[in-house]
Amino acid sequence: MLIIDAHAHVYSGDDIQYPTISSPIRPPGKSGLLSTFEAIAGENRVAGACIVQTLSVYGWDNHLLCDVSKAYPKHIAGVCSLDPENSKSPALLREYVENWGVRGLRSYPASNGRLDHPGVEGLWRHAEALKIVVNVSVTRDSTDDLARMLERFPNQPVVIDHCLIPRPGPDPAGAVNDMTRLAKYPNAYAKLN
């Protein structure tokens, strides 16, 4: 059986080479280190993984992700995170894809909370031109925004990370209804993790 880890975060133990944001939130001990991931993947015969850039440790700095993507091109699909309001982000996306082997963009709303923003749309246009996947990280509050983006970019494969990040509660029907509504778009894919 082919086993793929669809959403992993990896961290470095070297904060000099890969500087963190102030007050990073990372797993305890060695549980999130790349070496630990490699050992666990090997023990469990994991053939490949999507490694997703984590903002909670490195912010918008994708150096570790790029290094891992380039070092393991047959087994790792790197998914970078870029600031939609940084004018340099489209050029960085092209560089990461063409020079470092990154294969996806993790898309976030702009600081106003909207996907319907020129910076977000610009990154999606670049992702579409580069033929990479967009993994969108939004909550249920952004369902309408996401639907509009899926309509505007019908040829762009879009993975909905964490299925709209549903909040714990006794009634999961709202999240299920929102995901069911988004399922009508043939370019939308659910990632439940």
Side-chain angles (χ1 to χ4, degrees), residues 101-123:
V102 168
R103 297 188 219 167
L105 166 70
R106 192 172 203 202
S107 181
Y108 291 91
S111 60
N112 65 2
R114 303 292 307 271
L115 289 172
D116 186 9
H117 179 276
V120 178
E121 290 183 16
L123 282 171

Side-chain angles (χ1 to χ4, degrees), residues 15-192:
D15 290 349
I16 305 283
Q17 184 174 359
Y18 302 106
T20 67
I21 61 172
S22 61
S23 304
I25 302 169
R26 66 170 99 200
K30 297 182 179 185
S31 61
L33 295 179
L34 176 60
S35 57
T36 303
F37 173 79
E38 290 174 315
I40 292 170
E43 291 168 12
N44 293 285
R45 294 180 290 200
V46 175
C50 286
I51 302 293
V52 180
Q53 167 72 7
T54 176
L55 296 182
S56 63
V57 175
Y58 300 109
W60 302 115
D61 183 339
N62 290 272
H63 283 97
L64 175 61
L65 176 86
C66 287
D67 285 348
V68 172
S69 296
K70 190 159 189 158
Y72 303 96
K74 293 182 182 177
H75 305 290
I76 298 293
V79 180
C80 68
S81 296
L82 292 164
D83 181 354
E85 295 177 70
N86 183 337
S87 62
K88 296 179 183 176
S89 289
L92 286 172
L93 181 60
R94 179 171 296 284
E95 177 189 339
Y96 295 162
V97 171
E98 293 178 352
N99 299 330
W100 296 94
V102 168
R103 297 188 219 167
L105 166 70
R106 192 172 203 202
S107 181
Y108 291 91
S111 60
N112 65 2
R114 303 292 307 271
L115 289 172
D116 186 9
H117 179 276
V120 178
E121 290 183 16
L123 282 171
W124 282 44
R125 270 193 304 280
H126 278 78
E128 187 174 43
L130 292 164
K131 300 186 183 322
I132 62 170
V133 173
V134 168
N135 287 15
V136 64
S137 182
V138 294
T139 63
R140 290 187 54 220
D141 299 339
S142 296
T143 301
D144 291 337
D145 260 4
L146 179 53
R148 285 188 292 274
M149 292 292 281
L150 290 165
E151 288 171 4
R152 266 185 232 142
F153 293 89
N155 298 315
Q156 175 60 57
V158 177
V159 174
I160 304 169
D161 270 351
H162 308 294
C163 287
L164 300 173
I165 313 172
R167 294 181 180 98
D171 183 15
V176 172
N177 290 339
D178 287 344
M179 285 301 296
T180 301
R181 192 174 117 218
L182 294 171
K184 76 177 186 178
Y185 299 100
N187 57 324
Y189 300 88
K191 186 197 294 183
L192 183 61

